[in-house]
Amino acid sequence: MEHTGSLLTHDSMATLLPESGVGIAVVTNTGMVSGDDAPLIVDGLVDLARGKTPRRQAPFTGTADPALAGLTLLALGLAVRGVLRADRWARRNARGPLRTGLRLAPYALPVLFCPSRSSSDSPISSVC
């Protein structure tokens, strides 16, 4: 008889072996990224409780951790690249107040079309 549970920060599994009177409970702090650690540990402990040799199984963290480390290094590299290129980007995009005003104009549309909520004469007021 088994029961598993999982949250963002931990996984758990409880197993009862009625034939031998053994109960096993395992809680791991691996979370949802690699939720197979608790079942793998319980499977090994069940094999030991039954007098068998536990099977060697590789947990998902063996693949997830290197992949997440690679993504972290990629994000770090892109962040450094962004910081190094920020000065050039700022100089290229500093083209004066007129260009900045034109780029910000679309953000003013809701203010222009929805000036007040009390005015129900406008056909757009039902949308705002």
mmCIF file of all heavy atoms in Angstrom, residues 33 60 63-74:
data_model
loop_
_atom_site.group_PDB
_atom_site.id
_atom_site.type_symbol
_atom_site.label_atom_id
_atom_site.label_comp_id
_atom_site.label_asym_id
_atom_site.label_seq_id
_atom_site.Cartn_x
_atom_site.Cartn_y
_atom_site.Cartn_z
ATOM 1 N N VAL A 33 10.691 19.723 -9.561
ATOM 2 C CA VAL A 33 11.569 19.593 -10.714
ATOM 3 C C VAL A 33 11.963 18.141 -10.915
ATOM 4 O O VAL A 33 12.000 17.626 -12.022
ATOM 5 C CB VAL A 33 12.825 20.478 -10.556
ATOM 6 C CG1 VAL A 33 13.832 20.190 -11.630
ATOM 7 C CG2 VAL A 33 12.435 21.936 -10.576
ATOM 8 N N PHE A 60 16.026 11.412 -11.787
ATOM 9 C CA PHE A 60 15.869 12.430 -12.831
ATOM 10 C C PHE A 60 16.809 13.606 -12.620
ATOM 11 O O PHE A 60 17.192 14.278 -13.570
ATOM 12 C CB PHE A 60 14.411 12.912 -12.860
ATOM 13 C CG PHE A 60 14.162 14.003 -13.846
ATOM 14 C CD1 PHE A 60 14.211 13.751 -15.204
ATOM 15 C CD2 PHE A 60 13.894 15.294 -13.424
ATOM 16 C CE1 PHE A 60 13.987 14.755 -16.123
ATOM 17 C CE2 PHE A 60 13.666 16.304 -14.332
ATOM 18 C CZ PHE A 60 13.704 16.031 -15.688
ATOM 19 N N THR A 63 19.787 14.176 -14.860
ATOM 20 C CA THR A 63 19.638 14.886 -16.145
ATOM 21 C C THR A 63 19.170 16.310 -15.942
ATOM 22 O O THR A 63 19.582 17.193 -16.686
ATOM 23 C CB THR A 63 18.582 14.212 -17.031
ATOM 24 O OG1 THR A 63 17.938 13.157 -16.360
ATOM 25 C CG2 THR A 63 19.163 13.702 -18.292
ATOM 26 N N ALA A 64 18.339 16.541 -14.958
ATOM 27 C CA ALA A 64 17.777 17.888 -14.761
ATOM 28 C C ALA A 64 18.832 18.869 -14.271
ATOM 29 O O ALA A 64 18.868 20.007 -14.738
ATOM 30 C CB ALA A 64 16.620 17.826 -13.771
ATOM 31 N N ASP A 65 19.679 18.456 -13.352
ATOM 32 C CA ASP A 65 20.658 19.387 -12.796
ATOM 33 C C ASP A 65 21.634 19.925 -13.842
ATOM 34 O O ASP A 65 21.848 21.134 -13.912
ATOM 35 C CB ASP A 65 21.402 18.749 -11.626
ATOM 36 C CG ASP A 65 20.540 18.634 -10.375
ATOM 37 O OD1 ASP A 65 19.464 19.269 -10.337
ATOM 38 O OD2 ASP A 65 20.941 17.922 -9.444
ATOM 39 N N PRO A 66 22.233 19.076 -14.689
ATOM 40 C CA PRO A 66 23.108 19.637 -15.724
ATOM 41 C C PRO A 66 22.357 20.535 -16.718
ATOM 42 O O PRO A 66 22.882 21.559 -17.158
ATOM 43 C CB PRO A 66 23.687 18.409 -16.434
ATOM 44 C CG PRO A 66 23.567 17.309 -15.455
ATOM 45 C CD PRO A 66 22.342 17.610 -14.647
ATOM 46 N N ALA A 67 21.125 20.174 -17.053
ATOM 47 C CA ALA A 67 20.348 21.007 -17.980
ATOM 48 C C ALA A 67 20.038 22.362 -17.352
ATOM 49 O O ALA A 67 20.171 23.411 -18.001
ATOM 50 C CB ALA A 67 19.054 20.297 -18.378
ATOM 51 N N LEU A 68 19.640 22.377 -16.081
ATOM 52 C CA LEU A 68 19.369 23.641 -15.391
ATOM 53 C C LEU A 68 20.643 24.458 -15.201
ATOM 54 O O LEU A 68 20.621 25.689 -15.295
ATOM 55 C CB LEU A 68 18.695 23.377 -14.044
ATOM 56 C CG LEU A 68 17.265 22.845 -14.133
ATOM 57 C CD1 LEU A 68 16.752 22.479 -12.746
ATOM 58 C CD2 LEU A 68 16.354 23.836 -14.796
ATOM 59 N N ALA A 69 21.764 23.788 -14.964
ATOM 60 C CA ALA A 69 23.040 24.505 -14.845
ATOM 61 C C ALA A 69 23.402 25.160 -16.171
ATOM 62 O O ALA A 69 23.861 26.304 -16.210
ATOM 63 C CB ALA A 69 24.147 23.555 -14.394
ATOM 64 N N GLY A 70 23.179 24.448 -17.279
ATOM 65 C CA GLY A 70 23.439 25.021 -18.598
ATOM 66 C C GLY A 70 22.561 26.229 -18.882
ATOM 67 O O GLY A 70 23.037 27.248 -19.400
ATOM 68 N N LEU A 71 21.283 26.138 -18.535
ATOM 69 C CA LEU A 71 20.377 27.272 -18.734
ATOM 70 C C LEU A 71 20.772 28.458 -17.849
ATOM 71 O O LEU A 71 20.669 29.613 -18.272
ATOM 72 C CB LEU A 71 18.937 26.853 -18.450
ATOM 73 C CG LEU A 71 18.308 25.923 -19.481
ATOM 74 C CD1 LEU A 71 16.963 25.430 -18.993
ATOM 75 C CD2 LEU A 71 18.173 26.619 -20.816
ATOM 76 N N THR A 72 21.245 28.178 -16.640
ATOM 77 C CA THR A 72 21.699 29.251 -15.754
ATOM 78 C C THR A 72 22.917 29.953 -16.339
ATOM 79 O O THR A 72 22.999 31.185 -16.339
ATOM 80 C CB THR A 72 22.032 28.686 -14.363
ATOM 81 O OG1 THR A 72 20.857 28.068 -13.831
ATOM 82 C CG2 THR A 72 22.518 29.764 -13.419
ATOM 83 N N LEU A 73 23.866 29.179 -16.862
ATOM 84 C CA LEU A 73 25.050 29.781 -17.483
ATOM 85 C C LEU A 73 24.680 30.580 -18.729
ATOM 86 O O LEU A 73 25.251 31.649 -18.981
ATOM 87 C CB LEU A 73 26.070 28.697 -17.823
ATOM 88 C CG LEU A 73 26.754 28.053 -16.623
ATOM 89 C CD1 LEU A 73 27.654 26.902 -17.068
ATOM 90 C CD2 LEU A 73 27.543 29.077 -15.840
ATOM 91 N N LEU A 74 23.721 30.078 -19.500
ATOM 92 C CA LEU A 74 23.255 30.821 -20.680
ATOM 93 C C LEU A 74 22.633 32.153 -20.258
ATOM 94 O O LEU A 74 22.921 33.199 -20.855
ATOM 95 C CB LEU A 74 22.244 29.988 -21.469
ATOM 96 C CG LEU A 74 21.590 30.666 -22.662
ATOM 97 C CD1 LEU A 74 22.634 30.967 -23.738
ATOM 98 C CD2 LEU A 74 20.478 29.804 -23.215
#
